[in-house]
PDB file of all heavy atoms in Angstrom:
ATOM      1  N   PHE F  64     -11.421  42.628 -52.804  1.00  0.00           N
ATOM      2  CA  PHE F  64     -11.326  42.922 -51.332  1.00  0.00           C
ATOM      3  C   PHE F  64     -10.305  42.104 -50.719  1.00  0.00           C
ATOM      4  O   PHE F  64     -10.124  40.915 -51.018  1.00  0.00           O
ATOM      5  CB  PHE F  64     -12.735  42.616 -50.673  1.00  0.00           C
ATOM      6  CG  PHE F  64     -13.869  43.411 -51.214  1.00  0.00           C
ATOM      7  CD1 PHE F  64     -14.600  43.089 -52.327  1.00  0.00           C
ATOM      8  CD2 PHE F  64     -14.081  44.656 -50.610  1.00  0.00           C
ATOM      9  CE1 PHE F  64     -15.718  43.753 -52.749  1.00  0.00           C
ATOM     10  CE2 PHE F  64     -15.137  45.449 -51.152  1.00  0.00           C
ATOM     11  CZ  PHE F  64     -15.946  45.043 -52.202  1.00  0.00           C
ATOM     12  N   LYS F  65      -9.520  42.777 -49.884  1.00  0.00           N
ATOM     13  CA  LYS F  65      -8.317  42.124 -49.281  1.00  0.00           C
ATOM     14  C   LYS F  65      -8.693  40.889 -48.531  1.00  0.00           C
ATOM     15  O   LYS F  65      -7.993  39.899 -48.511  1.00  0.00           O
ATOM     16  CB  LYS F  65      -7.661  43.164 -48.364  1.00  0.00           C
ATOM     17  CG  LYS F  65      -6.161  42.901 -48.107  1.00  0.00           C
ATOM     18  CD  LYS F  65      -5.642  44.020 -47.221  1.00  0.00           C
ATOM     19  CE  LYS F  65      -5.370  43.629 -45.741  1.00  0.00           C
ATOM     20  NZ  LYS F  65      -6.559  43.676 -44.829  1.00  0.00           N
ATOM     21  N   ASN F  66      -9.829  40.981 -47.831  1.00  0.00           N
ATOM     22  CA  ASN F  66     -10.287  39.785 -47.041  1.00  0.00           C
ATOM     23  C   ASN F  66     -11.773  39.973 -46.719  1.00  0.00           C
ATOM     24  O   ASN F  66     -12.421  40.948 -47.131  1.00  0.00           O
ATOM     25  CB  ASN F  66      -9.456  39.622 -45.734  1.00  0.00           C
ATOM     26  CG  ASN F  66      -9.416  40.914 -45.030  1.00  0.00           C
ATOM     27  OD1 ASN F  66     -10.404  41.680 -44.952  1.00  0.00           O
ATOM     28  ND2 ASN F  66      -8.336  41.158 -44.303  1.00  0.00           N
ATOM     29  N   LYS F  67     -12.268  38.980 -46.028  1.00  0.00           N
ATOM     30  CA  LYS F  67     -13.721  39.017 -45.747  1.00  0.00           C
ATOM     31  C   LYS F  67     -14.154  40.149 -44.962  1.00  0.00           C
ATOM     32  O   LYS F  67     -15.189  40.796 -45.307  1.00  0.00           O
ATOM     33  CB  LYS F  67     -14.089  37.732 -44.985  1.00  0.00           C
ATOM     34  CG  LYS F  67     -15.555  37.366 -44.952  1.00  0.00           C
ATOM     35  CD  LYS F  67     -15.810  36.177 -44.085  1.00  0.00           C
ATOM     36  CE  LYS F  67     -17.345  35.936 -43.990  1.00  0.00           C
ATOM     37  NZ  LYS F  67     -17.679  34.851 -42.997  1.00  0.00           N
ATOM     38  N   ASN F  68     -13.320  40.564 -43.979  1.00  0.00           N
ATOM     39  CA  ASN F  68     -13.699  41.718 -43.131  1.00  0.00           C
ATOM     40  C   ASN F  68     -13.780  43.010 -43.959  1.00  0.00           C
ATOM     41  O   ASN F  68     -14.725  43.788 -43.653  1.00  0.00           O
ATOM     42  CB  ASN F  68     -12.650  41.843 -42.027  1.00  0.00           C
ATOM     43  CG  ASN F  68     -12.888  40.998 -40.863  1.00  0.00           C
ATOM     44  OD1 ASN F  68     -13.953  40.332 -40.813  1.00  0.00           O
ATOM     45  ND2 ASN F  68     -12.025  40.947 -39.880  1.00  0.00           N
ATOM     46  N   SER F  69     -12.927  43.208 -44.919  1.00  0.00           N
ATOM     47  CA  SER F  69     -13.068  44.441 -45.648  1.00  0.00           C
ATOM     48  C   SER F  69     -14.204  44.421 -46.566  1.00  0.00           C
ATOM     49  O   SER F  69     -14.833  45.480 -46.866  1.00  0.00           O
ATOM     50  CB  SER F  69     -11.778  44.722 -46.365  1.00  0.00           C
ATOM     51  OG  SER F  69     -11.718  44.067 -47.542  1.00  0.00           O
ATOM     52  N   LEU F  70     -14.633  43.306 -46.954  1.00  0.00           N
ATOM     53  CA  LEU F  70     -15.863  43.104 -47.778  1.00  0.00           C
ATOM     54  C   LEU F  70     -17.069  43.438 -46.896  1.00  0.00           C
ATOM     55  O   LEU F  70     -17.986  44.178 -47.323  1.00  0.00           O
ATOM     56  CB  LEU F  70     -15.980  41.657 -48.288  1.00  0.00           C
ATOM     57  CG  LEU F  70     -17.356  41.359 -48.980  1.00  0.00           C
ATOM     58  CD1 LEU F  70     -17.620  42.278 -50.146  1.00  0.00           C
ATOM     59  CD2 LEU F  70     -17.311  39.926 -49.419  1.00  0.00           C
ATOM     60  N   ILE F  71     -17.100  42.988 -45.708  1.00  0.00           N
ATOM     61  CA  ILE F  71     -18.110  43.253 -44.767  1.00  0.00           C
ATOM     62  C   ILE F  71     -18.253  44.746 -44.459  1.00  0.00           C
ATOM     63  O   ILE F  71     -19.291  45.335 -44.426  1.00  0.00           O
ATOM     64  CB  ILE F  71     -18.028  42.465 -43.370  1.00  0.00           C
ATOM     65  CG1 ILE F  71     -18.222  41.009 -43.684  1.00  0.00           C
ATOM     66  CG2 ILE F  71     -18.965  42.953 -42.381  1.00  0.00           C
ATOM     67  CD1 ILE F  71     -17.898  40.038 -42.563  1.00  0.00           C
ATOM     68  N   VAL F  72     -17.054  45.403 -44.356  1.00  0.00           N
ATOM     69  CA  VAL F  72     -17.064  46.811 -44.098  1.00  0.00           C
ATOM     70  C   VAL F  72     -17.727  47.473 -45.275  1.00  0.00           C
ATOM     71  O   VAL F  72     -18.526  48.404 -45.068  1.00  0.00           O
ATOM     72  CB  VAL F  72     -15.614  47.310 -43.859  1.00  0.00           C
ATOM     73  CG1 VAL F  72     -15.520  48.848 -43.876  1.00  0.00           C
ATOM     74  CG2 VAL F  72     -15.043  46.768 -42.528  1.00  0.00           C
ATOM     75  N   SER F  73     -17.388  47.158 -46.358  1.00  0.00           N
ATOM     76  CA  SER F  73     -17.993  47.770 -47.589  1.00  0.00           C
ATOM     77  C   SER F  73     -19.501  47.490 -47.654  1.00  0.00           C
ATOM     78  O   SER F  73     -20.321  48.358 -48.009  1.00  0.00           O
ATOM     79  CB  SER F  73     -17.418  47.227 -48.904  1.00  0.00           C
ATOM     80  OG  SER F  73     -16.103  47.752 -49.042  1.00  0.00           O
ATOM     81  N   ALA F  74     -19.896  46.290 -47.321  1.00  0.00           N
ATOM     82  CA  ALA F  74     -21.294  45.972 -47.216  1.00  0.00           C
ATOM     83  C   ALA F  74     -22.034  46.886 -46.167  1.00  0.00           C
ATOM     84  O   ALA F  74     -23.153  47.405 -46.426  1.00  0.00           O
ATOM     85  CB  ALA F  74     -21.613  44.553 -47.010  1.00  0.00           C
ATOM     86  N   PHE F  75     -21.483  47.075 -45.129  1.00  0.00           N
ATOM     87  CA  PHE F  75     -21.921  47.877 -44.036  1.00  0.00           C
ATOM     88  C   PHE F  75     -22.124  49.352 -44.544  1.00  0.00           C
ATOM     89  O   PHE F  75     -23.131  49.966 -44.285  1.00  0.00           O
ATOM     90  CB  PHE F  75     -20.902  47.827 -42.883  1.00  0.00           C
ATOM     91  CG  PHE F  75     -21.398  48.652 -41.598  1.00  0.00           C
ATOM     92  CD1 PHE F  75     -22.288  48.078 -40.785  1.00  0.00           C
ATOM     93  CD2 PHE F  75     -20.774  49.895 -41.436  1.00  0.00           C
ATOM     94  CE1 PHE F  75     -22.634  48.822 -39.691  1.00  0.00           C
ATOM     95  CE2 PHE F  75     -21.187  50.625 -40.307  1.00  0.00           C
ATOM     96  CZ  PHE F  75     -22.145  50.104 -39.395  1.00  0.00           C
ATOM     97  N   SER F  76     -21.097  49.817 -45.253  1.00  0.00           N
ATOM     98  CA  SER F  76     -21.209  51.133 -45.768  1.00  0.00           C
ATOM     99  C   SER F  76     -22.408  51.297 -46.788  1.00  0.00           C
ATOM    100  O   SER F  76     -23.110  52.160 -46.772  1.00  0.00           O
ATOM    101  CB  SER F  76     -19.916  51.577 -46.562  1.00  0.00           C
ATOM    102  OG  SER F  76     -18.915  51.652 -45.635  1.00  0.00           O
ATOM    103  N   ALA F  77     -22.489  50.200 -47.597  1.00  0.00           N
ATOM    104  CA  ALA F  77     -23.606  50.205 -48.544  1.00  0.00           C
ATOM    105  C   ALA F  77     -24.903  50.285 -47.864  1.00  0.00           C
ATOM    106  O   ALA F  77     -25.854  50.898 -48.239  1.00  0.00           O
ATOM    107  CB  ALA F  77     -23.505  49.002 -49.446  1.00  0.00           C
ATOM    108  N   LEU F  78     -25.050  49.492 -46.709  1.00  0.00           N
ATOM    109  CA  LEU F  78     -26.255  49.549 -46.023  1.00  0.00           C
ATOM    110  C   LEU F  78     -26.534  50.880 -45.377  1.00  0.00           C
ATOM    111  O   LEU F  78     -27.775  51.311 -45.453  1.00  0.00           O
ATOM    112  CB  LEU F  78     -26.208  48.394 -44.865  1.00  0.00           C
ATOM    113  CG  LEU F  78     -27.356  48.303 -43.944  1.00  0.00           C
ATOM    114  CD1 LEU F  78     -28.690  48.174 -44.592  1.00  0.00           C
ATOM    115  CD2 LEU F  78     -27.185  47.086 -42.975  1.00  0.00           C
ATOM    116  N   LEU F  79     -25.564  51.439 -44.834  1.00  0.00           N
ATOM    117  CA  LEU F  79     -25.781  52.817 -44.191  1.00  0.00           C
ATOM    118  C   LEU F  79     -26.232  53.815 -45.217  1.00  0.00           C
ATOM    119  O   LEU F  79     -27.076  54.560 -45.002  1.00  0.00           O
ATOM    120  CB  LEU F  79     -24.409  53.309 -43.475  1.00  0.00           C
ATOM    121  CG  LEU F  79     -24.390  53.021 -42.062  1.00  0.00           C
ATOM    122  CD1 LEU F  79     -23.089  53.279 -41.442  1.00  0.00           C
ATOM    123  CD2 LEU F  79     -25.505  53.765 -41.287  1.00  0.00           C
ATOM    124  N   GLU F  80     -25.551  53.642 -46.414  1.00  0.00           N
ATOM    125  CA  GLU F  80     -25.929  54.581 -47.463  1.00  0.00           C
ATOM    126  C   GLU F  80     -27.357  54.396 -47.825  1.00  0.00           C
ATOM    127  O   GLU F  80     -28.074  55.376 -48.092  1.00  0.00           O
ATOM    128  CB  GLU F  80     -24.999  54.296 -48.696  1.00  0.00           C
ATOM    129  CG  GLU F  80     -24.837  55.496 -49.716  1.00  0.00           C
ATOM    130  CD  GLU F  80     -23.866  55.000 -50.814  1.00  0.00           C
ATOM    131  OE1 GLU F  80     -22.854  54.496 -50.553  1.00  0.00           O
ATOM    132  OE2 GLU F  80     -24.246  55.166 -51.950  1.00  0.00           O
ATOM    133  N   LYS F  81     -27.772  53.147 -47.910  1.00  0.00           N
ATOM    134  CA  LYS F  81     -29.172  52.794 -48.266  1.00  0.00           C
ATOM    135  C   LYS F  81     -30.132  53.329 -47.343  1.00  0.00           C
ATOM    136  O   LYS F  81     -31.179  53.960 -47.672  1.00  0.00           O
ATOM    137  CB  LYS F  81     -29.258  51.256 -48.338  1.00  0.00           C
ATOM    138  CG  LYS F  81     -30.384  50.774 -49.254  1.00  0.00           C
ATOM    139  CD  LYS F  81     -30.210  49.175 -49.309  1.00  0.00           C
ATOM    140  CE  LYS F  81     -31.509  48.597 -49.736  1.00  0.00           C
ATOM    141  NZ  LYS F  81     -31.584  47.152 -49.608  1.00  0.00           N
TER     142      LYS F  81
END
Side-chain angles (χ1 to χ4, degrees):
Chain F
F64 297 93
K65 204 176 108 276
N66 53 32
K67 193 184 177 185
N68 276 353
S69 81
L70 172 58
I71 291 173
V72 167
S73 286
F75 181 80
S76 291
L78 175 51
L79 263 173
E80 203 179 312
K81 205 172 157 188

